[in-house]
């Protein structure tokens, strides 16, 4: 299946979940749609950062909730490894000896919670990674090529939704309810966010992570969508300065 066709199909599934809730599309809808479409029993998303405390954002059931809490509390597990290495971690059977050695505390705790297989997919655009999507099954499970591609597409959409949300330190939405994307424009600004972050590394003389923090912080304090701020940076309507507030430029130069 072509990537754009897959992405469109995943967007429809997620939009349908949001419609059932009667709410704007959010990462919880990604989790719910993923569980319905894939051979898994539950899903959860955790917001993760190298510079701030990580925290669970949502989960579809009590087992996935426990898995999110366990990994962030213990500092080990597929979620932690996926975030650290920026690559999917596919654990088809937690009773496998190698996984028991890799995660000696988490593996036993996850099995006790009711999980047998865990799949962790980093939420990532370029060098920016705001979190991880976790899926679990209560029996040994292997995702085939099509299922894995779908899982990655769900993670891709969760990334865009998470980056475009204004989230406070507890993971709750800050201020007004989140904007209803409609999903028609979610894929359009991926490169723009990445490009804007790259521009800020030059303007501010900082690394990619710090540049993204500055970009997101400005969007948050101004009550604006991250995508809109990124567009202003790329179009040279907004310039960030190392020692002062970002400056608007009317002529785009």
């Amino acid at each position: 299946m072509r990537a754009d066709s897959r992405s469109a199909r995943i967007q429809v599934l997620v939009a349908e979940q949001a419609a059932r809730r009667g709410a704007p599309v959010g990462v919880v809808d990604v989790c719910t749609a993923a569980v319905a479409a894939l051979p898994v029993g539950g899903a959860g998303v955790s917001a993760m950062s190298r510079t701030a405390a990580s925290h669970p954002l949502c989960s579809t059931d009590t087992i996935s909730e426990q898995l999110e809490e366990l990994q962030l509390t213990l500092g080990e597990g597929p979620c932690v490894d996926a975030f650290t290495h920026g690559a999917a971690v596919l654990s088809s059977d937690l009773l496998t000896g190698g996984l028991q050695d890799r995660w000696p505390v988490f593996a036993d705790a996850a099995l006790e919670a009711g999980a047998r297989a865990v799949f962790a997919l980093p939420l990532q655009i370029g060098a920016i990674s705001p979190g991880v999507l976790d899926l679990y099954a209560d029996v040994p499970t292997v995702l085939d090529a099509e299922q894995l591609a779908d899982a990655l597409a769900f993670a891709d959409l969760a990334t865009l939704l998470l980056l475009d949300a204004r989230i406070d330190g507890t993971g709750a939405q800050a201020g007004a309810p989140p904007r209803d994307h409609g999903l028609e424009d979610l894929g359009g600004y991926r490169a723009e966010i990445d490009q804007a972050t790259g521009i800020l590394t030059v303007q501010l003389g900082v690394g990619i992570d710090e540049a993204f923090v500055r970009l997101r912080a400005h969007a948050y304090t101004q009550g604006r969508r991250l995508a809109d701020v990124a567009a202003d940076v790329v179009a040279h309507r907004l310039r960030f300065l190392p020692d002062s507030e970002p400056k608007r430029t009317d002529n785009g130069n």
Side-chain angles (χ1 to χ4, degrees):
M1 181 182 295
R2 289 178 52 184
D4 53 353
S5 298
R6 186 185 307 278
S7 177
R9 179 171 59 81
I10 295 301
Q11 289 179 10
V12 169
L13 294 176
V14 173
E16 289 174 347
Q17 291 295 335
R20 292 188 185 98
R21 287 196 305 123
V25 173
V27 290
V28 64
D29 301 305
V30 175
C31 290
T32 305
V35 173
L38 298 168
V40 298
V45 169
S46 286
M48 302 186 72
S49 170
R50 292 178 174 82
T51 59
S54 300
H55 55 270
L57 285 178
C58 64
S59 54
T60 60
D61 63 347
T62 56
I63 295 177
S64 59
E65 181 179 8
Q66 289 181 65
L67 294 179
E68 298 305 303
E69 293 285 356
L70 278 170
Q71 295 182 89
L72 297 183
T73 300
L74 297 172
E76 69 174 44
C79 176
V80 177
D81 286 2
F83 178 74
T84 301
H85 301 296
V89 177
L90 310 176
S91 312
S92 58
D93 188 351
L94 290 174
L95 284 179
T96 302
L99 297 182
Q100 293 273 319
D101 294 337
R102 185 175 180 181
W103 308 308
V105 182
F106 168 77
D108 286 343
L111 287 165
E112 184 175 348
R116 185 69 181 268
V118 181
F119 311 104
L121 310 167
L123 309 184
Q124 192 163 303
I125 293 180
I128 300 166
S129 180
V132 175
L133 169 65
D134 287 317
L135 309 168
Y136 87 87
D138 58 5
V139 295
T141 302
V142 176
L143 299 180
D144 64 27
E146 284 295 309
Q147 292 165 343
L148 178 56
D150 280 353
L152 292 170
F154 279 115
D156 199 37
L157 182 52
T159 305
L160 294 172
L161 289 167
L162 186 54
L163 290 177
D164 202 40
R166 293 187 295 117
I167 300 171
D168 67 15
T170 65
Q173 292 292 339
R179 178 179 181 271
D180 186 353
H181 301 280
L183 291 179
E184 73 281 354
D185 63 342
L186 282 175
Y189 61 83
R190 168 205 312 275
E192 202 158 45
I193 292 173
D194 211 8
Q195 186 179 356
T197 305
I199 290 172
L200 294 197
T201 64
V202 177
Q203 291 182 356
L204 299 173
V206 297
I208 193 79
D209 287 342
E210 176 62 21
F212 177 66
V213 168
R214 290 287 298 272
L215 184 72
R216 191 168 184 267
H218 181 74
Y220 177 81
T221 58
Q222 298 299 311
R224 302 183 64 203
R225 295 177 64 216
L226 180 65
D228 294 336
V229 175
D232 281 350
V233 171
V234 172
H236 305 293
R237 293 187 295 265
L238 182 66
R239 181 177 179 81
F240 280 62
L241 305 171
D243 301 316
S244 61
E245 291 298 311
K247 179 181 178 181
R248 296 286 304 185
T249 59
D250 295 331
N251 57 10
N253 294 321

